[in-house]
Amino acid sequence: MELILEKIQGEYLPNFNNHSDNIMFYGNSGTGKTFLSHCIAKELLDKGNLVVYRTSEDLMKNLKDIRFNNNKDLEDLLINCDLLIIDDLGAELLNDYIVTELFNFLNEKLLKRKKMLISTNLTLGQLSKCYTERLSSRLYGNFTIFKFYSEDIRVKKNLSKMNR
């Protein structure tokens, strides 16, 4: 965790406006992925950047709204924000339509060099099985990947309260 924090604080955040790097956090539940994502968002928002946070389920709803209601304002927000955080990728209900829409969306952001931060509880192998090879290839090839190793922090905190 210290190494991840060092990379984020020492390289990613100070140079945010000078790169188009994408980040993917993966690891078990309760290891701090969402917490660190929120810390990054706060730091960037405080510096005047536009950060949009979506759970994967909310993003899929947004993509449907864009597709079926031609919601151009929402599309512009999601595509052109300074950083899009997609939390808990893999928790959404998957079908061929969703996987295709997600691929098209991620591909468009990558082609436009728009930054993303994705977190997931899935392993890299599980991601490959859940999504198409094309989508997985873009995740593995265009994102700096950080694995979170830890026991579930929420469970540990709760157990420590019970043992007092």
Side-chain angles (χ1 to χ4, degrees), residues 36-54:
L36 184 54
S37 297
H38 287 150
C39 292
I40 291 168
K42 182 186 180 324
E43 181 78 20
L44 293 173
L45 287 166
D46 287 349
K47 292 180 178 177
N49 292 284
L50 176 58
V51 178
V52 176
Y53 171 91
R54 292 289 189 272

Side-chain angles (χ1 to χ4, degrees), residues 6-21:
E6 187 178 300
K7 285 275 195 194
I8 298 299
Q9 289 179 325
E11 296 172 26
Y12 184 79
L13 288 172
N15 301 305
F16 182 79
N17 293 319
N18 302 320
H19 65 73
S20 59
D21 297 349

Side-chain angles (χ1 to χ4, degrees), residues 13 37 54 58 70 72 80 116 133 143 149 157 163-164:
L13 288 172
S37 297
R54 292 289 189 272
D58 289 338
N70 200 28
K72 293 293 184 191
N80 294 309
M116 293 174 276
E133 185 180 334
F143 285 73
Y149 297 91
K157 284 175 79 174
N163 291 330
R164 288 184 192 170

Side-chain angles (χ1 to χ4, degrees), residues 127-143:
L127 277 171
S128 295
K129 288 179 183 173
C130 290
Y131 300 98
T132 63
E133 185 180 334
R134 291 184 332 152
L135 196 147
S136 299
S137 172
R138 277 157 181 80
L139 291 175
Y140 305 152
N142 294 285
F143 285 73

Side-chain angles (χ1 to χ4, degrees), residues 64-105:
K64 286 179 184 177
D65 188 25
I66 291 166
R67 169 74 62 200
F68 295 116
N69 298 322
N70 200 28
N71 190 335
K72 293 293 184 191
D73 292 335
L74 179 57
E75 182 177 29
D76 182 61
L77 174 69
L78 295 176
I79 293 291
N80 294 309
C81 60
D82 296 320
L83 178 67
L84 174 64
I85 298 174
I86 304 171
D87 193 25
D88 215 6
L89 184 69
E92 71 281 0
L93 182 62
L94 285 177
N95 58 45
D96 289 342
Y97 169 78
I98 290 295
V99 172
T100 299
E101 288 297 310
L102 181 60
F103 169 81
N104 291 333
F105 176 74

